Amino acid sequence: MNRRLLACIGAGAATTMALAACSSGGGSGDSATGGPDGSGDAVTITYSNFISNGGNEDNLAAIVAAFEKENPDITVDVTTLAYADYFTALQTDLAAGTPADVFDIEYANYASYQDSGVLAPIEVADPSAYDPTLLETYQTDSTQYALPTSFSDVVLYYNKDLFDAAGQAYPDATWTWADETAAAEAITDQDAGVFGDFQNISYYEFYKVLEQNGASFLTDDGSAVAFNTPEGIEAAQWLVGKSGTTMPTAEQGAGTPDFDSQLFVDGKLAMLHSGIWMFGTFADSTSAWDIAVEPGSTTQASAMFSNAAAVSATSKHQEAAAKWAEYLSGSDVAAQTRLDAGWELPPISDQTVLSTYLDKGTPDNRQAVFDSLENVALPPALGDAQAQVADIVDAQLGEAAAGRLTAAEAVAEMETQINALLAG
């Protein structure tokens, strides 16, 4: 899949997500009527988000302040919610007809929201400000229903010191799974607590490695799984076979929150598959480190995640809400704030602005962030079944990693359970 499809991943992520309490939303009618909507008065619009939670609240506040300065007749009332609580409460508020005027979504759930009619069409004032594929990702029948606010991707982190000590060449964009395995085996020294590799054994890695091995998660019509094939079984084995060999087992800490990142910071892990959002965390490492494009088997395929801002179909201030959504997603202020803070990447088309990102220091090979977009693995279109499917995959791969099932048995059991779910 080429770069023009890069935006078709839901992000960062990629997990069970929830939204708490947006009940002060525009649909409730508690905002003042205002000038941007034709009355001549000022308006207050509400914005509920998860994107700034966990350290970027001040960065979002700076973008809001700049927007309000340029649009003195619009006030943005921000509610920032924990990522882990975001979408459950958003569903509650949507059902009650009281969502915020503008709210965050991810690509993974865009289609289900658009199908349900809760997203207002957006007339984009300056489409050229955006990467065209990122913009088109949130279109249905050529109508814009959300605006991308950021994207990020997954890369291969590596510890230069461990590679040097083992006499191994650093990873580069030509690497395959075989190269990664050989280096990991050469570096692993479990007696010293040093491991060569770490890749989460999970649904979100499985659909990616399927692509890397020429396989697919679903059939073309999406009605059933397509991974119970030699290529799919080999992809599963690629993940589970690391456990206890070049990667810690669950008993050794794998699966414990932040275990993998702490191992990397401590200089005890040679390679880690993780997102670019870890740059700040790894700045604390005393080891020299860098990044590369993730290796593939028959092809490269990187996971990429995208967030977006949507305007509620029940908002009484859709014009003002759309102005805020476009400023948050496509303005120079928002883009530069993100780049300066290392707060994912803005969805803009201006490569001159993006090029400043390459010169920000460690990791030196920031070009790998953009090179990884040349081939991306899209998440399966599972709609409301995604969380259940993820649980099935996680459980069966976990059984295989523990040695209680073979990779082939785990794949067969996943096929049985997921097909039953999709048929139900």
Side-chain angles (χ1 to χ4, degrees):
M1 211 167 288
N2 65 31
R3 181 174 179 176
R4 307 316 307 156
L5 293 175
L6 62 87
C8 298
I9 301 290
T15 11
T16 302
M17 303 164 298
L19 176 53
C22 309
S23 57
S24 61
S28 65
D30 57 354
S31 299
T33 57
D37 295 331
S39 72
D41 299 325
V43 315
T44 294
I45 59 170
T46 52
Y47 169 51
S48 291
N49 81 96
F50 62 80
I51 58 171
S52 70
N53 179 251
N56 285 295
E57 293 88 348
D58 288 345
N59 293 318
L60 176 59
I63 297 171
V64 170
F67 171 78
E68 291 178 341
K69 183 176 181 180
E70 291 188 25
N71 299 272
D73 52 355
I74 305 174
T75 297
V76 182
D77 182 6
V78 175
T79 301
T80 297
L81 303 146
Y83 183 79
D85 297 325
Y86 189 83
F87 277 86
T88 297
L90 176 57
Q91 291 284 15
T92 301
D93 289 336
L94 288 170
T98 58
D101 294 292
V102 180
F103 53 85
D104 285 351
I105 64 171
E106 293 185 323
Y107 176 76
N109 45 45
Y110 162 69
S112 61
Y113 288 140
Q114 197 281 322
D115 287 344
S116 67
V118 300
L119 308 181
I122 298 174
E123 189 72 33
V124 184
D126 184 13
S128 68
Y130 299 88
D131 177 286
T133 299
L134 280 164
L135 194 63
E136 290 163 12
T137 296
Y138 296 97
Q139 293 176 3
T140 301
D141 296 330
S142 300
T143 298
Q144 198 76 43
Y145 284 98
L147 292 173
T149 53
S150 69
F151 69 92
S152 57
D153 56 16
V154 173
V155 294
L156 181 71
Y157 290 82
Y158 64 93
N159 182 308
K160 290 183 175 182
D161 295 341
L162 291 177
F163 271 80
D164 291 343
Q168 296 293 302
Y170 298 152
D172 61 33
T174 69
W175 265 33
T176 64
W177 285 357
D179 296 311
E180 183 175 340
T181 297
E185 290 175 345
I187 294 171
T188 297
D189 181 355
Q190 293 201 35
D191 291 339
V194 173
F195 292 90
D197 208 352
F198 198 107
Q199 186 168 13
N200 283 315
I201 300 173
S202 71
Y203 162 78
Y204 293 101
E205 292 296 322
F206 183 56
Y207 76 69
K208 178 180 64 179
V209 299
L210 287 172
E211 295 276 352
Q212 291 174 349
N213 207 36
S216 298
F217 196 95
L218 293 175
T219 56
D220 289 343
D221 65 3
S223 63
V225 304
F227 54 69
N228 193 1
T229 63
E231 294 80 11
I233 294 168
E234 186 177 27
Q237 182 59 41
W238 162 250
L239 285 179
V240 304
K242 297 181 180 187
S243 181
T245 56
T246 59
M247 173 177 148
T249 64
E251 290 73 23
Q252 291 170 313
T256 303
D258 301 325
F259 176 81
D260 53 340
S261 57
Q262 190 59 54
L263 202 62
F264 192 83
V265 168
D266 292 343
K268 297 291 187 179
L269 180 61
M271 288 177 283
L272 171 63
H273 296 257
S274 192
I276 62 174
W277 51 85
M278 298 302 296
F279 287 179
T281 299
F282 295 158
D284 296 334
S285 177
T286 58
S287 301
W289 60 275
D290 209 340
I291 61 171
V293 176
E294 287 189 282
S297 177
T298 63
T299 189
Q300 289 176 327
S302 300
M304 205 274 288
F305 306 100
S306 171
N307 299 320
V311 174
S312 170
T314 61
S315 171
K316 296 179 189 252
H317 309 297
Q318 291 185 11
E319 183 179 344
K323 280 187 179 181
W324 163 241
E326 187 160 4
Y327 193 90
L328 174 67
S329 58
S331 70
D332 289 344
V333 169
Q336 201 58 60
T337 299
R338 283 189 169 278
L339 291 171
D340 289 345
W343 181 21
E344 295 189 321
L345 291 173
I348 59 174
S349 60
D350 190 338
Q351 296 300 307
T352 303
V353 174
L354 289 174
S355 68
T356 63
Y357 179 78
L358 301 177
D359 302 322
K360 289 187 173 294
T362 305
D364 294 334
N365 186 27
R366 287 174 178 254
Q367 183 60 45
V369 174
F370 298 102
D371 291 344
S372 295
L373 303 180
E374 294 297 330
N375 297 283
V376 298
L378 305 181
L382 294 165
D384 294 339
Q386 178 170 286
Q388 291 171 277
V389 170
D391 287 344
I392 292 169
V393 173
D394 290 355
Q396 298 309 313
L397 289 179
E399 289 293 292
R404 291 186 286 269
L405 294 177
T406 66
E409 290 169 339
V411 165
E413 184 60 29
M414 284 189 279
E415 177 185 45
T416 298
Q417 293 189 32
I418 296 171
N419 280 348
L421 179 65
L422 296 179

